[in-house]
Amino acid sequence: MSLYVGREASKVWKRFCAEITTEVNLLAENWKYLLAGLICQYIHGLAARGIHYFHRPGPTLQDAGFFLLPELGQDKAYVSETVFTFIFLSFVLWTFHPFLFKTKKIYTVLVWCRVLAFLVASQFLRIITFYSTQLPGPNYHCREGSKLARLPPPDNVLEVLLINFPRGVLYGCGDLIFSSHMIFSLVFVRTYQKYGTNRFIKQCSWILVVIQSFLIVASRKHYTVDVVVAWYTVNLVVFFLDHKFPELPDRSGAAFLLPVSKDSWTKEENHKLLNGNSGDPTDRRLRTPVNGKIMEDVNKVDAVLMNGV
């Protein structure tokens, strides 16, 4: 038993080291995109913090979801956050599964480049929207009488730039249309829908997002319009960008498509591999797939027939 465990642990460690090498090379080529995406996450948080200074509490607006869904109350506000945290952490862990599992379809760096692009585009539209019109927040800490509903003018620029994380994020007001929780959840679920391999998990993921939509409204963290707008806006953004971006390489068929080191393969050779061509530039033979097999060109077939005669 100990021998088996040791052998399997050795395989996992070798797989992990090989994956580290591959991902580091990808990171060296794509770090600018990741850094830009992370900076935009900070800008989004800064914008959400800034709108809080303009927030003015008022009577809660009439909302169809508030009439249809019972109010959970302040003591159960954690329920929706728990569901969101589960979706968030599950997706993050899934993106790093190639480091441990033998069966893999994605490259972690490339997936996160794509995910951050989806998030940034959606958040840019969100910032424009909630700065265009400031609505009175429906959340408990944003209502009239709450000390957190209004923010006093900042004493200095540093107070704004630090965004009072994480309290400023959890108790923000004014950044309503459209829901940031729904942006993350929909981007994550749509990404797994495309690159994930477990059909059951895909179905459960969509069910969780629907449940979260109802919980957000029931917790009075957002108006129903915030959730509805997020559903069609994020899906349209992901659909549009996904068709504009080049398709990610699929690792499920072959794990050698990307180089282990920069010196082992040139970019031109790697491009040929990704497009199904041979790495040898002299190999220009026409190959036609028949019943899942690769046949050589017509001249070779004719030569065989001639020898047979």
Side-chain angles (χ1 to χ4, degrees):
M1 183 63 181
S2 60
L3 180 63
Y4 173 80
V5 173
R7 184 168 62 249
E8 291 300 316
S10 176
K11 291 180 181 178
V12 172
W13 175 248
K14 291 180 181 179
R15 192 180 305 131
F16 179 79
C17 294
E19 192 67 25
I20 284 288
T21 304
T22 302
E23 295 290 349
V24 166
N25 290 327
L26 289 174
L27 183 62
E29 297 179 359
N30 298 279
W31 67 269
K32 295 180 181 179
Y33 304 111
L34 293 175
L35 180 61
L38 294 176
I39 292 176
C40 288
Q41 296 306 302
Y42 168 74
I43 294 175
H44 173 254
L46 190 64
R49 176 66 172 177
I51 197 63
H52 197 165
Y53 289 101
F54 298 98
H55 178 257
R56 296 297 177 265
T60 303
L61 303 179
Q62 292 188 11
D63 188 279
F66 292 179
F67 286 109
L68 297 175
L69 296 175
E71 189 171 351
L72 289 180
Q74 287 182 278
D75 57 331
K76 297 181 180 179
Y78 67 90
V79 177
S80 63
E81 291 297 330
T82 302
V83 174
F84 173 75
T85 302
F86 177 77
I87 296 174
F88 188 95
L89 294 180
S90 298
F91 179 80
V92 172
L93 291 176
W94 170 76
T95 59
F96 287 93
H97 81 273
F99 288 88
L100 298 177
F101 293 93
K102 184 178 181 180
T103 303
K104 58 193 73 176
K105 187 179 179 181
I106 62 169
Y107 293 95
T108 302
V109 171
L110 299 183
V111 164
W112 274 109
C113 286
R114 210 175 189 89
V115 167
L116 286 172
F118 298 154
L119 292 175
V120 169
S122 301
Q123 290 165 346
F124 176 75
L125 296 176
R126 180 175 188 258
I127 293 173
I128 295 177
T129 306
F130 66 65
Y131 267 99
S132 299
T133 302
Q134 290 86 44
L135 302 177
N139 211 335
Y140 302 103
H141 63 269
C142 299
R143 298 177 184 178
E144 291 181 307
S146 174
K147 295 180 180 180
L148 301 175
R150 293 171 179 259
L151 285 182
D155 297 329
N156 49 62
V157 179
L158 187 62
E159 182 181 342
V160 179
L161 296 178
L162 292 179
I163 67 177
N164 193 21
F165 184 85
R167 184 178 177 83
V169 177
L170 296 176
Y171 295 98
C173 296
D175 55 329
L176 293 175
I177 301 177
F178 41 96
S179 171
S180 179
H181 285 65
M182 292 303 301
I183 291 178
F184 280 93
S185 297
L186 287 171
V187 168
F188 290 169
V189 171
R190 281 193 62 104
T191 302
Y192 185 81
Q193 177 69 31
K194 183 173 183 178
Y195 299 109
T197 56
N198 192 303
R199 183 179 179 183
F200 176 74
I201 295 179
K202 293 179 181 180
Q203 295 172 346
C204 291
S205 300
W206 284 110
I207 294 174
L208 274 179
V209 176
V210 173
I211 293 175
Q212 181 187 270
S213 302
F214 289 114
L215 289 175
I216 289 175
V217 177
S219 301
R220 304 301 188 253
K221 296 180 179 179
H222 279 277
Y223 293 108
T224 306
V225 65
D226 307 337
V227 175
V228 172
V229 171
W231 267 96
Y232 63 76
T233 302
V234 176
N235 279 292
L236 288 175
V237 167
V238 174
F239 175 82
F240 176 78
L241 292 181
D242 195 43
H243 283 72
K244 289 294 182 180
F245 292 156
E247 190 55 66
L248 297 183
D250 188 353
R251 308 182 68 179
S252 57
F256 57 86
L257 293 180
L258 288 178
V260 175
S261 64
K262 288 186 175 180
D263 299 332
S264 59
W265 295 94
T266 64
K267 290 186 177 180
E268 181 181 358
E269 291 170 337
N270 188 42
H271 177 73
K272 292 175 182 178
L273 286 175
L274 292 176
N275 286 278
N277 298 328
S278 172
D280 185 2
T282 61
D283 188 3
R284 304 296 184 187
R285 293 173 295 178
L286 175 64
R287 300 176 184 270
T288 305
V290 178
N291 294 330
K293 298 181 179 180
I294 304 298
M295 302 298 293
E296 297 293 338
D297 59 2
V298 178
N299 294 330
K300 184 175 181 179
V301 176
D302 291 339
V304 174
L305 293 175
M306 292 291 292
N307 293 333
V309 174

